[in-house]
Amino acid sequence: MKSYQLVAFGAALEPNEKANPQPSGTEVLLRTRAAGVCHSDLHLCEGGYDLGGGKVLSLTDRGVRLPRTLGHETVGEVVAVGPDATGVAVGDIRLIYPWIGCGSCANCTAGSENLCLGAPANLGVHRDGGYADHILAPHPRYLLDLKGIEPTAAAPLACSGLTTYSALRKVMDVARRQPILLIGAGGLGLMCLALLKALGGKGAVVVDLDPAKREAALQAGALAVIDGAAPDAAAQINQALGTPLLAGIDFVGNPATAALGFDLLAKGGKMVIVGLFGGASPWSLPLFPMKALTVQGSYVGNLQELHELVDLVSTLPQTPLPIDARPLDQANQALDDLASGRVVGRAVLVP
Ligand code: NAD
Ligand code: ZN
């Protein structure tokens, strides 16, 4: 099998050729049909997350070992099944849930493997992922029927879709009644706009620094788009919302967006932070109680949420975000293009 692997943090991916693995036990081997390129892969390549104040959360400390095949948004066709793998057959095309936990900690047993307290085994992070022509899934329970969705459109559901769906669930009580704020209109922000509409939301005002992303957000149904770098961005957002801000999702997560979101929140408001661009935030503590604010983190989503999401997306008339399909051997180019803002929607590698 051919894969594109991270062999050193900060370096380009390297092609690797080896024999296809044989699935053992409950494992399933799939031939990759589509592999989404997420901004989190750029953070993985960098080797850590900027915690602000000169501190870095190193991926090595978080159990990431190299070489590693990236790719956590994968659709594949089953080509071999282990002796104990049931409910799946050669030829089946499946979306792979990659956020795999230890299975025995308090969060895993409660159904949230994505919040594993023990030893996460996330595909494309701790285990090899989809930037390859084949991928091994540990168990058929992590393989979802596509319900008619095209493989390239389905692949991003495993992260971009799942993350935004799970974040939206945390604000939908407000979002059904009034517009919300979305910061960042990349692969996650654009997906979020489509899912917000599908869930019956009142729509969103969208902030991005890049005019091309703002245009894509307008095409995707944003109520208004605002340049986050404008000196009066906050006033423009308030005017576009036409109502005090009670809920937002930050798909960037840097000091500037954290400040913007926090300053805009009205009493009783909630901001969900998803983006991992990094840094720290000096929020004024008295404003939390005085305005009864909530700032909540959201990390991908659980297996049940991915099943719900596939059901939802299978009813939509069109793919939820623009797909920029490329050959697998352009993995490095796709990452470079994403890093420099040249991808609108999601780049998806097709072996
Ligand atoms: P992307 O590169 O496709 O999109 C990022 C967008 O943010 C771009 O349109 C960019 O122009 C915009 N942007 C950058 N700085 C901005 C600023 N200061 N103000 C407004 N807009 C700004 O990335 P993506 O794949 O959508 O991922 C977004 C972030 O979410 C990344 O940090 C990624 O690692 C993270 N992420 C988090 C989770 C989670 O579970 N929490 C899951 C997936 C991705
Ligand atoms: Zn991702």
Side-chain angles (χ1 to χ4, degrees), residues 75 92-96 140 142-149 154 157 306-307 310-311 314:
V75 165
D92 288 349
I93 297 178
R94 293 289 182 263
L95 172 65
I96 306 175
Y142 301 115
L143 303 178
L144 286 77
D145 190 291
L146 269 52
K147 307 232 165 131
I149 307 168
L157 298 180
L306 188 57
H307 279 285
V310 171
D311 285 346
S314 70

Side-chain angles (χ1 to χ4, degrees), residues 36-83:
V37 179
C38 177
H39 202 113
S40 294
D41 293 328
L42 293 175
H43 300 312
L44 277 167
C45 291
E46 287 160 9
Y49 296 95
D50 172 12
L51 297 178
K55 287 181 284 186
V56 172
L57 178 64
S58 132
L59 285 162
T60 307
D61 292 349
R62 294 200 71 201
V64 176
R65 297 285 170 265
L66 304 185
R68 176 66 57 234
T69 304
L70 302 183
H72 50 264
E73 295 183 340
T74 315
V75 165
E77 179 178 340
V78 175
V79 290
V81 296

Side-chain angles (χ1 to χ4, degrees), residues 99-328:
W99 312 110
I100 295 166
C102 68
S104 54
C105 73
N107 284 339
C108 282
T109 51
S112 290
E113 288 189 59
N114 55 311
L115 304 179
C116 177
L117 303 165
N122 299 334
L123 302 183
V125 182
H126 306 94
R127 301 285 154 82
D128 284 339
Y131 288 17
D133 54 21
H134 287 76
I135 178 172
L136 207 51
H139 194 285
R141 70 188 295 265
Y142 301 115
L143 303 178
L144 286 77
D145 190 291
L146 269 52
K147 307 232 165 131
I149 307 168
E150 280 294 310
T152 51
L157 298 180
C159 178
S160 165
L162 179 60
T163 302
T164 53
Y165 180 73
S166 187
L168 274 171
R169 288 188 62 195
K170 297 172 172 82
V171 297
M172 273 318 292
D173 52 342
V174 170
R176 276 192 197 88
R177 301 194 307 266
Q178 64 177 68
I180 64 171
L181 177 67
L182 302 179
I183 305 177
L188 268 62
L190 291 180
M191 175 74 85
C192 190
L193 269 173
L195 297 182
L196 175 64
K197 185 175 176 202
L199 289 167
K202 291 281 188 221
V205 172
V206 178
V207 177
D208 204 293
L209 301 179
D210 179 345
K213 309 299 172 60
R214 294 200 297 273
E215 178 56 33
L218 273 182
Q219 297 293 325
L223 300 173
V225 289
I226 312 289
D227 178 1
D232 63 342
Q236 288 188 50
I237 292 166
N238 270 328
Q239 191 179 9
L241 284 168
T243 175
L245 179 67
L246 290 182
I249 307 176
D250 183 349
F251 292 114
V252 177
N254 73 11
T257 60
L260 181 69
F262 187 83
D263 290 349
L264 282 163
L265 278 183
K267 285 181 184 176
K270 180 194 279 191
M271 188 61 61
V272 178
I273 299 188
V274 167
L276 294 159
F277 275 60
S281 197
W283 288 317
S284 299
L285 297 179
L287 295 179
F288 278 93
M290 289 169 68
K291 293 172 78 176
L293 300 178
T294 304
V295 175
Q296 182 172 9
S298 196
Y299 185 70
V300 294
N302 65 31
L303 183 57
Q304 170 61 27
E305 288 173 314
L306 188 57
H307 279 285
E308 292 169 16
L309 174 64
V310 171
D311 285 346
L312 177 71
V313 172
S314 70
T315 66
L316 301 182
Q318 61 189 50
T319 57
L321 90 164
I323 299 297
D324 177 351
R326 294 147 180 248
L328 172 64

